Amino acid sequence: MTNKKWWSGLLAGAMVLGLLSGCGAAGNEASGTDNEGAAGGEAVNLRLYTHGTEEAYNWKKTIQAYQDITPGVTIELVQLSEKGDSQEAMKKMDLEAASSAQMDILMFSDPAGYAQRVALGMAEPLDEYIAKDGYSVETDYKVDTHLDGKVYALPGKFNPWYVLLNKDHLDEAGLPVPTDWTWDDYAEYALKLTQGEGATKRYGTYFHGPQGGGWMEFLKLKMANQPQDADFLKADGSSNLDNPTFRETLELRLKMEQEDQSSVPYTDIISQKLNYRTQFFNQSASMITIGSWMNTEIGGTDKVPLEFNVAVAPYPKNNAADPIGLTSVSTDYLAVAAKSKHKEEAYKFVRWYTTEGQIVQGKNIPSWQQVKNDQVEEIIDTILSGTKSPEKVDKPSLVDTLVVSKASAIVPPSSYQAEVYEAVNEEYEKLILGNQDIDATIQSVQERVNKIIDSNKK
C-alpha cells in the first residue's frame, strides 16, 4: 500500500476522533491555545503521546520533575492505551497524526513502529539539535537510533537480552556464574546441568521459539552478537541469510536438542504449549535466554513464586575474542513530532527524559551511557523491592550484566518482514522436526526469502 493510500484511510478514520478526547493529562491540563513558546515569555504546553501506563512509567513524578526545572513548560500526557498495549496505542497515534491534533512528543515501542512512522514523515530529524548540544547518539547511548543516516528519536529504557540461571543448580554442578562466555560455553553448561530422563528430566536450557513465526530471536542467537547485520535482512532490504552466524545458530539448536539432549525438545514446546516462565521457575530448565523485562519478575511474584536462588549472565558471545555484551535490545524511541510548533522545547524534553529523566523515573535501566553503576544498582533495588523474594537474586551479577550490555545497530524493518519470518520459521521447523537436513534448509530458506524480496521490488 502506498503512503498516500495509507494516509487517506487514516484521514477517513480521523473523522471519528472523539476517542482520544478523554485522555488524561499529567501536570496541568491543556489550555487549548497555541502558545508561542517559553522563550518568548509565554507558556508552552507539549503533548506527549505514549503507550506507557502510570504503573510502568511513573509519569506523574517524572513529568512534575521536568516542569519544576523548566518554568513555562507543561507536559500533557496522552495515554493511548489503559493496558499499555503498544499496538492499540500506535493505531490511535496514527489517527491523531492524520487529524489536526496537536502533537509534540511521540513514543514508539519497537524498531518497526519507529522506522515505519519515520518513513511516513511523522518524526522530525534531531541531528541539528544533537550537533548543537555536542554529543553523538552512538557514544552517549547504548542504542543507536540512526535510520538512513539520520536520528529521529533518542532511546529511553534499556532492556537487553541476557541469561537467567538457577544458581542452586550451578552450585550443585560446581559451575561459576559466567561473566564473559561464548555459545560453546553455554552449550557445555547446559549439558552439565541436564539431569534425569523421561517426564521428570531437568534440561540445561529452554529456548522459547520460534513457535509459528513468533519469538524469532531464538533463530538469531548467534546473529545478535554482532555490531551490524544482526537480523535476517540487511539494512538495504537484501537477504542476510548467507551470514555464517545464521547457519551456526541452526547448528547450535540442533546440537543442543538432538545431540546433547540438553535443550527442551521443540516438539514438546509446541505440543504442550510450554511457557518460558513456567519452565524456569518450576526448575524444569536451569537456564533461559530472555529479555530483561524479567527484572520485575526474577525475584518471584504472587503468581509465580521463586523457590531457588537466581543469577544472571551476559548474552553469550560467538567467539572468545568478540566484544562482550552485544545483544538484542528493546527500548522506547522518543521522537519530536514533525507537526509540532514547539520543536525545540519538545527536543529539550526528549533529551532530558532519555538522560536524567530516566533516573528520576526509576522504573527501568536507562539507555544513557553516563548512568553510573551505583545508579543502576539503586534502580535495581527499587525494581527488586517489588518482587516477593529479592534476597534470592544475585544482584551483583544482574547489575554487572546490565552495565556491560549494548545493542547492535538497528536494521530498519522492511514491509515484507513478516513474510520473511514466516519462511524462516517454516524451514526451521522442517529441520528441527527431522524432515530436511541443514544444507537443504539453508538452500530452501534463501531461495524463498530472495523470492519474497524480488516480488516486493515490483
Side-chain angles (χ1 to χ4, degrees):
M1 180 183 292
T2 64
N3 287 351
K4 185 175 180 181
K5 290 180 180 177
W6 194 89
W7 278 113
S8 296
L10 285 181
L11 285 165
M15 295 178 69
V16 293
L17 245 167
L19 56 92
L20 289 177
S21 59
C23 288
N28 296 336
E29 292 291 327
S31 64
T33 60
D34 183 23
N35 300 314
E36 288 303 316
E42 297 183 32
V44 170
N45 182 75
L46 301 174
R47 302 188 85 207
L48 165 58
Y49 285 76
T50 178
H51 63 280
T53 62
E54 173 63 28
E55 181 182 18
Y57 283 82
N58 208 2
W59 284 121
K60 291 178 182 177
K61 177 184 176 183
T62 306
I63 288 173
Q64 189 60 54
Y66 185 72
Q67 292 177 163
D68 288 345
I69 63 173
T70 317
V73 175
T74 57
I75 308 296
E76 178 188 357
L77 191 69
V78 183
Q79 289 181 303
L80 298 168
S81 172
E82 293 183 2
K83 307 185 296 291
D85 185 327
S86 59
Q87 291 186 337
E88 176 190 4
M90 288 302 99
K91 289 177 182 177
K92 291 182 178 180
M93 183 188 291
D94 291 341
L95 285 171
E96 286 276 87
S99 75
S100 58
Q102 177 192 339
M103 306 183 82
D104 300 293
I105 302 158
L106 311 176
M107 177 184 278
F108 308 121
S109 63
D110 62 272
Y114 169 45
Q116 286 165 0
R117 284 155 186 86
V118 165
L120 291 167
M122 287 173 60
E124 181 76 6
L126 303 181
D127 302 86
E128 289 186 11
Y129 300 105
I130 291 169
K132 185 178 179 181
D133 280 354
Y135 68 93
S136 67
V137 171
E138 309 94 294
T139 57
D140 228 36
Y141 296 92
K142 292 185 175 184
V143 180
D144 186 349
T145 55
H146 277 86
L147 287 174
D148 297 326
K150 293 185 178 182
V151 175
Y152 295 89
L154 298 180
K157 68 184 179 183
F158 180 71
N159 277 348
W161 279 54
Y162 53 23
V163 179
L164 295 182
L165 307 102
N166 185 314
K167 194 171 185 300
D168 293 354
H169 292 175
L170 290 183
D171 293 343
E172 290 171 9
L175 296 170
V177 176
T179 57
D180 187 350
W181 59 339
T182 65
W183 281 110
D184 287 343
D185 297 329
Y186 186 97
E188 287 184 19
Y189 265 59
L191 188 57
K192 291 177 180 178
L193 291 166
T194 299
Q195 288 187 2
E197 295 292 340
T200 60
K201 180 174 181 177
R202 187 186 83 195
Y203 288 91
T205 193
Y206 171 84
F207 293 122
H208 188 65
Q211 297 193 62
W215 296 94
M216 297 303 286
E217 291 87 354
F218 292 99
L219 294 187
K220 305 176 193 172
L221 294 177
K222 290 200 170 188
M223 301 184 85
N225 185 239
Q226 301 180 102
Q228 302 287 334
D229 295 332
D231 210 329
F232 303 131
L233 298 176
K234 296 180 181 178
D236 62 4
S238 62
S239 173
N240 191 35
L241 295 176
D242 58 355
N243 191 311
T245 58
F246 175 62
R247 183 186 186 98
E248 289 167 7
T249 297
L250 300 185
E251 290 173 340
L252 178 70
R253 294 290 303 267
L254 280 174
K255 170 182 166 56
M256 295 183 70
E257 177 173 329
Q258 299 183 5
E259 183 180 331
D260 295 348
Q261 298 182 11
S262 61
S263 178
V264 177
Y266 188 68
T267 51
D268 289 358
I269 295 172
I270 56 178
S271 65
Q272 299 176 33
K273 297 181 180 179
L274 298 180
N275 181 277
Y276 62 90
R277 288 180 177 86
T278 305
Q279 288 295 294
F280 185 67
F281 286 105
N282 284 359
Q283 304 192 66
S284 299
S286 301
M287 304 189 297
I288 58 170
T289 303
I290 201 67
S292 56
W293 59 79
M294 289 297 292
N295 289 346
T296 59
E297 300 180 42
I298 56 176
T301 62
D302 288 330
K303 199 173 190 178
V304 186
L306 177 64
E307 299 176 348
F308 55 92
N309 293 297
V310 173
V312 185
Y315 195 83
K317 306 187 300 188
N318 296 337
N319 305 293
D322 291 344
I324 189 173
L326 277 169
T327 181
S328 297
V329 167
S330 61
T331 187
D332 293 318
Y333 299 85
L334 275 292
V336 173
K339 67 192 300 184
S340 173
K341 295 182 179 179
H342 307 295
K343 292 184 175 67
E344 185 170 353
E345 290 86 354
Y347 163 76
K348 287 178 180 178
F349 174 80
V350 166
R351 174 61 171 164
W352 175 86
Y353 174 81
T354 59
T355 54
E356 289 96 339
Q358 290 292 287
I359 306 297
V360 172
Q361 198 170 61
K363 285 288 188 177
N364 295 286
I365 304 303
S367 293
W368 192 32
Q369 291 274 27
Q370 295 185 37
V371 176
K372 297 179 175 60
N373 287 18
D374 60 339
Q375 292 173 309
V376 172
E377 190 168 346
E378 288 175 10
I379 295 171
I380 288 300
D381 282 338
T382 301
I383 293 172
L384 291 179
S385 68
T387 66
K388 301 298 289 183
S389 306
E391 73 282 354
K392 293 184 178 179
V393 178
D394 182 357
K395 192 177 73 174
S397 70
L398 173 58
V399 172
D400 290 347
T401 293
L402 294 171
V403 168
V404 301
S405 297
K406 49 188 173 291
S408 54
I410 294 174
V411 180
S414 298
S415 60
Y416 45 87
Q417 187 153 310
E419 296 176 72
V420 171
Y421 281 2
E422 182 179 9
V424 174
N425 175 76
E426 288 176 356
E427 295 304 321
Y428 168 76
E429 290 194 341
K430 292 176 187 175
L431 169 69
I432 203 69
L433 298 176
N435 296 323
Q436 67 185 8
D437 64 23
I438 194 165
D439 290 329
T441 299
I442 296 290
Q443 181 179 343
S444 181
V445 74
Q446 287 179 336
E447 289 175 353
R448 288 184 63 179
V449 168
N450 283 329
K451 284 181 181 178
I452 292 169
I453 295 170
D454 290 341
S455 68
N456 279 274
K457 288 179 180 177
K458 296 174 183 178

